[in-house]
Amino acid sequence: MTIKIGISACLTGQQVRFDSGHKRSDFCMNELAKHVEYVPFCPEVAVGLPIPRPTIRQVRIGDVIKVCRPDGSNDVADDLYKFGQSVASNHLSKFSGFIFCAKSPSCGMERVKVYNETATWTTHDGVGVFAKAIMDADPLLPCEENGRLNDPHLRENFVMRIYVYSKWKELVSTGVSLHKMTTFHAQHKYLLMSHKYQAYKALGRMLGESHERDVDQVARDYIIGLMTAISKPASRKAQTNTLMHLQGYFKKHLSKIEKQELSEAIEEYRIGNVPLYVPLTLLSHHTKVHDVAYLKEQVYFAPYPNELKLRFGI
Ligand code: SF4
């Protein structure tokens, strides 16, 4: 299934910015683009602003946010929000993520500059109006900004979430059932464990106790719990704990030297000397060699294409 992602058009290299420029993202266009299909949007152009155009900014007047020129004219906040709502209703069911351009009064996901009415002070607590409409429409949709994607932990977490969400949408598109959800949950055991062990247990319990419940409601509760649990990068401590759990599968399979090699790789990762892919490569190798069927199904070993090298930096 093709993974579709919404993206701020300027990040793809389209020259749609106020100064006729762009903000092409190397990671998005040179690496991730090989694995996903982007659907670009420039909300400011979509609501009728020209290229080039005078700059616009967010201005707070009481509880209301305007998105207007520095002299207060040409407020397009409502138009931007409505455009976001129309993108949401026409596209979000097919999207597994969205990448926004940081700091923009329209597209910024967080910490957007907001002026007071007299422009005598600013805060950095705004959300781009278009981005807000998208995030309001689907609070579970994995969203990230171009700048934050330079952080290897945030990048890995974002890409992992879009793959999980896409897999979930694929499951839902063929009709949910308790059996399918239980299988999905089992396949995501170690991925979930590497983020929140308690969430893995709680969601498993919830599925086990849901035979009398409406299956669509169970599915909603499940995906809320899952996406919330993986919404932040996994800590080194939780990853180490997960690796040690996986190590337990090989007690009877490995020689003394192999066990020692694996323990050392996990310890080296724990203390920050090697990245996650080092112990994981070993575990993955042993899983294949010893044909451990349950582990071969685990999404944790390959949540996204290895070619993205996302575990080299964490
Ligand atoms: S940040 Fe958004 S509104 Fe601004 S140029 Fe890029 S796509 Fe258009």
Side-chain angles (χ1 to χ4, degrees):
M1 184 169 140
T2 310
I3 295 184
K4 280 196 177 185
I5 311 264
I7 188 167
S8 295
C10 56
L11 297 179
T12 68
Q14 289 186 32
Q15 296 181 297
V16 288
R17 279 170 58 82
F18 70 97
D19 58 359
S20 311
H22 61 77
K23 291 272 262 182
R24 190 178 190 281
S25 157
D26 284 346
F27 170 68
C28 293
M29 300 316 293
N30 298 345
E31 297 179 52
L32 193 57
K34 292 178 196 152
H35 305 281
V36 303
E37 180 185 325
Y38 288 124
V39 185
F41 302 95
C42 177
E44 290 178 16
V45 171
V47 301
L49 300 182
I51 310 167
R53 55 187 172 273
T55 55
I56 53 176
R57 52 167 62 164
Q58 288 203 359
V59 179
R60 183 177 284 117
I61 301 169
D63 291 338
V64 177
I65 294 287
K66 284 172 73 173
V67 181
C68 54
R69 292 186 189 168
D71 65 5
S73 67
N74 204 17
D75 178 14
V76 288
D78 281 352
D79 292 346
L80 288 169
Y81 195 81
K82 280 184 196 141
F83 177 66
Q85 286 179 314
S86 85
V87 167
S89 55
N90 292 325
H91 296 275
L92 276 204
S93 62
K94 293 172 235 105
F95 284 0
S96 299
F98 214 111
I99 304 175
F100 294 109
C101 182
K103 297 183 183 159
S104 153
S106 311
C107 289
M109 208 180 94
E110 58 182 30
R111 292 193 291 273
V112 170
K113 194 190 269 188
V114 185
Y115 290 79
N116 70 339
E117 200 171 356
T118 51
T120 45
W121 49 264
T122 57
T123 55
H124 287 80
D125 58 350
V127 178
V129 174
F130 169 74
K132 181 166 181 351
I134 298 292
M135 294 189 290
D136 285 350
D138 182 358
L140 300 181
L141 184 75
C143 292
E144 205 37 281
E145 291 184 328
N146 53 326
R148 285 166 50 94
L149 285 173
N150 292 327
D151 178 305
H153 294 273
L154 295 175
R155 177 186 290 194
E156 191 276 340
N157 180 257
F158 173 65
V159 176
M160 179 272 291
R161 285 185 290 133
I162 61 178
Y163 273 84
V164 170
Y165 206 42
S166 163
K167 230 175 164 43
W168 174 257
K169 286 197 163 186
E170 200 177 335
L171 181 154
V172 171
S173 72
T174 57
V176 283
S177 68
L178 260 188
H179 175 68
K180 280 192 199 173
M181 283 189 273
T182 305
T183 304
F184 185 93
H185 184 62
Q187 290 167 346
H188 288 78
K189 172 176 177 173
Y190 289 99
L191 188 80
L192 250 172
M193 194 186 268
S194 69
H195 285 79
K196 260 192 191 147
Y197 183 69
Q198 302 89 323
Y200 165 71
K201 296 298 272 184
L203 288 171
R205 205 164 41 242
M206 190 266 286
L207 291 177
E209 292 168 355
S210 291
H211 293 277
E212 307 289 313
R213 294 180 62 206
D214 172 58
V215 74
D216 291 325
Q217 186 57 52
V218 176
R220 275 192 289 279
D221 290 347
Y222 180 78
I223 195 60
I224 289 171
L226 174 65
M227 296 308 289
T228 306
I230 63 173
S231 64
K232 301 254 165 19
S235 68
R236 191 169 288 268
K237 189 175 169 194
Q239 294 276 28
T240 304
N241 204 22
T242 305
L243 296 169
M244 289 166 79
H245 265 90
L246 288 165
Q247 184 184 27
Y249 273 90
F250 299 101
K251 267 189 204 144
K252 293 187 187 138
H253 295 100
L254 303 187
S255 67
K256 200 174 163 195
I257 291 173
E258 286 172 324
K259 278 183 195 163
Q260 193 179 342
E261 181 188 37
L262 184 54
S263 294
E264 280 171 10
I266 295 173
E267 177 60 10
E268 288 285 293
Y269 166 73
R270 188 188 70 79
I271 60 179
N273 285 349
V274 298
L276 182 59
Y277 88 88
V278 172
L280 262 179
T281 304
L282 262 181
L283 282 163
S284 181
H285 167 77
H286 292 314
T287 298
K288 281 182 205 136
V289 168
H290 298 288
D291 199 22
V292 186
Y294 181 64
L295 293 190
K296 275 161 77 182
E297 298 292 313
Q298 285 302 314
V299 172
Y300 183 62
F301 283 114
Y304 34 68
N306 279 337
E307 196 189 337
L308 287 166
K309 301 188 178 77
L310 295 172
R311 281 166 162 171
F312 284 41
I314 62 170

